[in-house]
Amino acid sequence: MADTYRPDLVLMDITLGRGEDGISAARRICEQLGIRSLFVTAYGDRVTLDRVQTVNPLGVVLKPFDKE
């Protein structure tokens, strides 16, 4: 979809279901299209966040979150 629609950014979850995870998908999208991702995830452990940082994200929003 990123190749077709060329968004300015991608809102990415870590868990995508079967196949590659959101970190791998974000890496591929960034490498191939130059589009960076903003991760929205419930996985806030150090190992996962370190993996997320390897794809140079725009940021990480941890769930659950409130209006503030």
Side-chain angles (χ1 to χ4, degrees):
M1 289 181 73
D3 190 38
T4 300
Y5 295 105
R6 300 292 173 127
D8 294 323
L9 69 95
V10 173
L11 293 177
M12 183 67 73
D13 198 346
I14 302 269
T15 305
L16 300 178
R18 290 185 281 162
E20 71 182 329
D21 67 8
I23 299 169
S24 298
R27 178 178 289 108
R28 191 166 42 84
I29 291 168
C30 188
E31 288 173 354
Q32 293 177 1
L33 304 173
I35 302 168
R36 293 173 61 200
S37 295
L38 173 65
F39 285 86
V40 181
T41 185
Y43 297 97
D45 61 277
R46 178 56 35 210
V47 172
T48 301
L49 294 178
D50 286 347
R51 279 190 66 218
V52 167
Q53 292 306 313
T54 67
V55 299
N56 192 24
L58 291 169
V60 178
V61 178
L62 294 176
K63 301 184 288 187
F65 50 88
D66 55 37
K67 292 179 182 179
E68 295 175 13

